[in-house]
Amino acid sequence: MNLLYLSLSYIPSRRASSVHVMRMSAALSRAGHQVELVGKQNREPRDSNLDDHAFYGVDPTFTITKLPKPAFRGGGLVFAGAMARTLLARRSTIDLVYSRELIGALVAAELRIPVVFESHGVETSRPLRALTRRLARHPMLRGMVAISDALRRDLEAEQMAPAHAPLVIAHDAADAPGAVNLERPRRARPKVGYVGSLYAGRGIELILELAKRLPDYDVELVGGTEADLAKWRAYGLAPNVTLVGFVPPSTLRARYESFDVLLMPHPKHGVAAATGIDISRWTSPMKMFEYMASGTPLVASDLPVLAEVLRHEHNALIAPADDLPAWEAAVRRLVDDRALARSIASRAYDDLVEHYTWDARVKTIFTGLGSLGTESRNSVTAA
């Protein structure tokens, strides 16, 4: 099937959304589809000399089209116009548009191209909510994907879910290495890590306060922009804290495996996406699945939505989001009890391999969409 994947992601970019669409495009191509990923052309200097596929650590099995979004006011309209022209140019050859971009999904539907829309949250603005409801009722919508069951429930409650097409739950995912090392050497100073964005709403304050309670541990945070790093340096770092900064996604596996414990301290409320929207009710963080793939045990916050994947003392230790002593106790427990650490990391990896790889995600989506994954353009549009 010829599939056009629409996104709002800058490519290449440090944002998790760009990692998501690149990994999904690779998995869709492995499933046998001809994939063209459409995103934004990044105006910022490149973080490395790697080409786009190598930067993300994915095989070059799909094409990438980058559309301009000028920095001046109205640049979004320029991008939207370029996306519309791309859809028009591909209209006769596209079997399906798979979109994380609401406006592009609607434009494709109006052009009579079959559409699957992936939702990562409930829109907050009145115009976008209205457009989501319009797309949900559109006859060219072949299905919707929600990243958590909590999001599915809210989409249905807000009448933003399709009545005539499937709504599939597909959590985010990670690639699984062919083998995973569950052994962590005992060292004089255990190493605790966080990998991800450093903007507000990611629990960074808790990590920095936790580091003060763990002076005999090394605490390392990987990720963040230069502005983020400057902000947290001004916060007043304990001497055992290292801010590594951004590293290319293709190099993260070795980072994950260097830690004794990984942290995911999302707050109960105010979990922020890059847009600043609170996603604490619906989040399905890629970081969680990358942690699960690493062979390193994790401690996570007790957000209800995370319980769709994580279970206390099964594949993670769960701590109350605002209970610093509980986080300290969980970390020390995993470092001191290596048998527990290995069993949790092993179950997390097994759960990842069985349910939450990118290939499994694509299979879940197209199984939920029914026969769509094997139909040609002619049979799809006849529906």
Side-chain angles (χ1 to χ4, degrees), residues 271-286:
V271 177
T275 58
I277 296 174
D278 183 1
I279 56 173
S280 53
R281 286 177 57 85
W282 320 300
T283 185
S284 181
M286 275 193 307

Side-chain angles (χ1 to χ4, degrees), residues 100-123:
R100 276 191 61 168
E101 202 279 298
L102 176 60
I103 304 300
L106 270 171
V107 171
E110 293 297 332
L111 290 172
R112 307 298 297 168
I113 305 171
V115 175
V116 172
F117 178 63
E118 179 169 319
S119 175
H120 285 235
V122 176
E123 297 288 355

Side-chain angles (χ1 to χ4, degrees), residues 96-258:
L96 179 71
V97 165
Y98 189 99
S99 184
R100 276 191 61 168
E101 202 279 298
L102 176 60
I103 304 300
L106 270 171
V107 171
E110 293 297 332
L111 290 172
R112 307 298 297 168
I113 305 171
V115 175
V116 172
F117 178 63
E118 179 169 319
S119 175
H120 285 235
V122 176
E123 297 288 355
T124 56
S125 78
R126 184 172 296 178
L128 292 179
R129 290 167 71 88
L131 290 177
T132 304
R133 293 188 181 104
R134 178 176 173 181
L135 178 63
R137 296 191 296 269
H138 204 288
M140 296 308 295
L141 182 72
R142 296 298 184 249
M144 228 182 232
V145 177
I147 59 167
S148 62
D149 190 50
L151 177 56
R152 173 198 62 81
R153 294 193 301 269
D154 283 358
L155 288 170
E156 290 178 344
E158 297 289 341
Q159 299 182 323
M160 295 180 185
H164 68 287
L167 175 54
V168 181
I169 301 164
H171 294 88
D172 267 337
D175 289 321
V180 64
N181 177 20
L182 297 173
E183 297 297 329
R184 297 294 180 269
R186 288 207 177 266
R187 38 191 158 195
R189 294 185 61 83
K191 192 175 177 184
V192 178
Y194 167 90
V195 180
S197 300
L198 300 186
Y199 47 73
R202 294 283 152 161
I204 306 304
E205 296 92 340
L206 185 142
I207 296 175
L208 298 183
E209 292 303 314
L210 178 63
K212 297 175 183 178
R213 301 176 70 105
L214 298 169
D216 48 336
Y217 288 47
D218 290 324
V219 179
E220 188 171 287
L221 291 85
V222 181
T225 65
E226 291 306 316
D228 293 329
L229 297 174
K231 169 188 172 181
W232 294 116
R233 289 187 184 109
Y235 182 89
L237 302 180
N240 59 332
V241 173
T242 301
L243 300 182
V244 174
F246 176 80
V247 299
S250 58
T251 68
L252 282 177
R253 180 179 175 185
R255 292 280 180 180
Y256 288 128
E257 293 180 351
S258 72

